[in-house]
Amino acid sequence: MRRGLDSQKILNAAAELAEEKGLENVSLLQVAEKLGVKSPSLYNHLSGLQELSSGIAKIALDRLEAAVRSAAVGRSKESALTAIASAYRKFAKENPELYKAILRFPDCRNQSVQEAGHSVVRILYQVMEPYHFSREETLHFTRGFRSVLHGFVSLEAAGFFQSSEADVDKSYELLILRLIATLNSTENALSSIAPPVV
Amino acid sequence: MRRGLDSQKILNAAAELAEEKGLENVSLLQVAEKLGVKSPSLYNHLSGLQELSSGIAKIALDRLEAAVRSAAVGRSKESALTAIASAYRKFAKENPELYKAILRFPDCRNQSVQEAGHSVVRILYQVMEPYHFSREETLHFTRGFRSVLHGFVSLEAAGFFQSSEADVDKSYELLILRLIATLNSTENALSSIAPPVV
DNA sequence: TTGACAAGTTAATACAATTAGTTTATAACG
DNA sequence: CGTTATAAACTAATTGTATTAACTTGTCAA
């Protein structure tokens, strides 16, 4: 008895298991076994399967954030945005099971998962500072940018871009560059749509 | 004995159940109960839970396609693209459980799900015909456009856009308009990135 | 030293998927 | 009109999982 278990160790084991056997095979039973413990013991440290799922999602977001942050360091504006885009897709390709964990819906209602997601967004705010957009404009753009990263990466992961008639890397690059290109003419673009926000 | 079951009826019941009780509560047991039958009976019509999931995803994609197609009818280019974007998001908002079904990863490897996804893309090809882009350019753009739709809608559904500092409708509208705007200057945009494809 | 509590345990319950083996309605054929 | 083959249902059993309850026992602090 009396192992040194705690929720962090459990979540790390779960994340490891996800990478080894696939996210769908992560069960309390399997995690407990990996830790040399019976599954009810886990309830001393977390409230159930839901919390395990949320925890994995949080770990995944933390690692994604680290990857994105390190890609952006020392860069700003276009250069930072393209670097972030590459790092984001690279992370999803290298950690497919963890990336899936981020996607699972109910988790995102979870407080700490929300916060982890938010800290990814904060990086975007930082690299966009030099543009001197209003807070609202920045928010609109970062929502869009995130949508693009997430949308492309998850459709790709789901196997929807398998046509051999066009290179997937290039589709991604073009998409990112297109979106970034609209930043240079933001004032014009915005004012043709709605009055400037300021 | 001898109800008039078949796989279509099962899948429709499953889709209905998803809308009523949430996708995560769709089980063979529940579906069977809804149909007044015992769960092993379902195996006469489908191979198991996987096929049930794929089937729900296919139904969802079929309905999404119908919604998108009907939004695009009689329109082309910008007008069609914005109409499609609105219809897509509207569908996801009105059918959250079905939209989740589309996202579930393993399903997308499924043949008929892939095909259903493809027919959504075909609509995009049609409305973009008047631009007279090359097949490759069109493919790149439609991948991007789909990514934007899917990415925004799923992040929103996951609850990531809850900041009250900017209107979510407007974020979406701006994103779509930004992306469409890059089409008008596609030649320039592309050539500034890489040699024209033609 | 002792006793409360934390962290394990086993045992039991409930639900879900799936398989095996059985029964029976129905339709096709003699 | 009877027979029979088959499909479609059934019951029963197995396995895997989450979760709760009731228990045991280290460990730390009074």
Side-chain angles (χ1 to χ4, degrees):
Chain A
M1 259 189 200
R2 239 1 93 115
R3 324 270 170 150
L5 267 196
D6 63 26
S7 52
Q8 269 316 305
K9 282 180 193 155
I10 294 174
L11 294 178
N12 284 327
E16 211 175 303
L17 194 64
E19 281 161 348
E20 288 164 16
K21 310 266 179 89
L23 187 63
E24 62 283 3
N25 296 314
V26 174
S27 66
L28 291 176
L29 214 63
Q30 303 266 307
V31 172
E33 192 179 341
K34 193 180 175 77
L35 290 164
V37 117
K38 307 294 176 179
S39 65
S41 308
L42 302 180
Y43 286 83
N44 285 315
H45 306 283
L46 41 79
S47 66
L49 189 61
Q50 294 252 306
E51 203 167 309
L52 190 77
S53 298
S54 304
I56 299 176
K58 183 171 164 14
I59 285 184
L61 276 167
D62 288 345
R63 295 193 193 164
L64 174 60
E65 189 213 343
V68 162
R69 162 158 287 135
S70 113
V73 71
R75 297 168 187 263
S76 73
K77 300 176 82 175
E78 288 83 352
S79 158
L81 291 172
T82 54
I84 287 172
S86 298
Y88 191 102
R89 180 157 171 252
K90 182 157 173 273
F91 177 86
K93 274 181 179 300
E94 289 175 356
N95 306 277
E97 300 301 327
L98 284 184
Y99 193 77
K100 280 186 211 169
I102 297 178
L103 305 189
R104 293 203 298 201
F105 273 52
D107 301 344
C108 305
R109 312 279 175 196
N110 175 287
Q111 183 64 30
S112 70
V113 172
Q114 282 275 353
E115 278 165 18
H118 213 72
S119 61
V120 174
V121 177
R122 255 193 300 273
I123 301 174
L124 285 178
Y125 290 161
Q126 284 173 21
V127 306
M128 288 193 60
E129 239 168 55
Y131 285 114
H132 301 299
F133 292 146
S134 73
R135 176 146 181 80
E136 191 188 349
E137 281 171 322
T138 306
L139 206 55
H140 287 311
F141 183 81
T142 54
R143 282 175 177 169
F145 196 72
R146 258 182 106 186
S147 298
V148 166
L149 301 186
H150 169 65
F152 192 96
V153 159
S154 49
L155 289 181
E156 182 185 13
F160 278 120
F161 294 159
Q162 287 176 356
S163 159
S164 57
E165 294 177 70
D167 181 57
V168 181
D169 292 348
K170 191 168 175 190
S171 292
Y172 190 63
E173 190 192 350
L174 278 174
L175 175 59
I176 300 297
L177 290 176
R178 271 177 196 281
L179 195 64
I180 291 178
T182 65
L183 277 177
N184 295 321
S185 54
T186 290
E187 307 82 1
N188 305 331
L190 284 179
S191 60
S192 76
I193 291 157
V197 181
V198 182
Chain B
M1 259 194 203
R2 243 353 103 111
R3 324 271 169 144
L5 267 198
D6 62 29
S7 52
Q8 269 317 304
K9 280 181 195 155
I10 294 174
L11 294 177
N12 284 327
E16 212 176 303
L17 193 64
E19 281 160 348
E20 286 166 17
K21 309 268 179 88
L23 187 64
E24 63 283 5
N25 296 316
V26 174
S27 66
L28 292 175
L29 214 62
Q30 303 265 307
V31 173
E33 193 178 339
K34 195 180 174 75
L35 290 165
V37 118
K38 307 294 176 178
S39 66
S41 307
L42 303 180
Y43 286 83
N44 285 316
H45 305 282
L46 41 79
S47 67
L49 190 62
Q50 294 254 307
E51 201 166 312
L52 190 77
S53 299
S54 304
I56 298 175
K58 182 169 165 17
I59 285 182
L61 276 168
D62 287 346
R63 293 192 195 164
L64 174 60
E65 190 213 341
V68 162
R69 161 158 288 137
S70 111
V73 71
R75 296 168 188 263
S76 73
K77 300 176 82 176
E78 286 84 353
S79 158
L81 291 173
T82 55
I84 286 172
S86 298
Y88 191 103
R89 180 158 170 251
K90 182 155 174 274
F91 178 87
K93 273 182 179 300
E94 289 176 355
N95 306 277
E97 301 300 326
L98 284 184
Y99 194 76
K100 281 186 209 169
I102 298 179
L103 306 188
R104 293 203 297 202
F105 272 53
D107 300 345
C108 305
R109 312 278 174 195
N110 176 288
Q111 183 65 30
S112 72
V113 172
Q114 281 276 354
E115 277 165 18
H118 213 72
S119 62
V120 174
V121 178
R122 252 192 301 273
I123 301 173
L124 285 178
Y125 290 162
Q126 285 173 21
V127 305
M128 288 192 60
E129 240 168 55
Y131 285 114
H132 300 301
F133 292 145
S134 74
R135 177 146 180 79
E136 190 188 350
E137 280 171 322
T138 305
L139 206 54
H140 287 311
F141 183 81
T142 55
R143 281 175 177 169
F145 195 73
R146 258 182 105 187
S147 297
V148 166
L149 301 186
H150 169 66
F152 192 96
V153 159
S154 48
L155 289 181
E156 182 186 13
F160 277 119
F161 295 158
Q162 287 176 356
S163 159
S164 57
E165 293 177 69
D167 182 58
V168 181
D169 293 348
K170 191 170 175 190
S171 293
Y172 189 64
E173 190 191 352
L174 278 174
L175 176 59
I176 300 297
L177 289 177
R178 272 176 195 281
L179 195 64
I180 291 177
T182 65
L183 277 178
N184 296 322
S185 54
T186 290
E187 307 81 4
N188 306 332
L190 284 181
S191 61
S192 75
I193 291 156
V197 181
V198 181

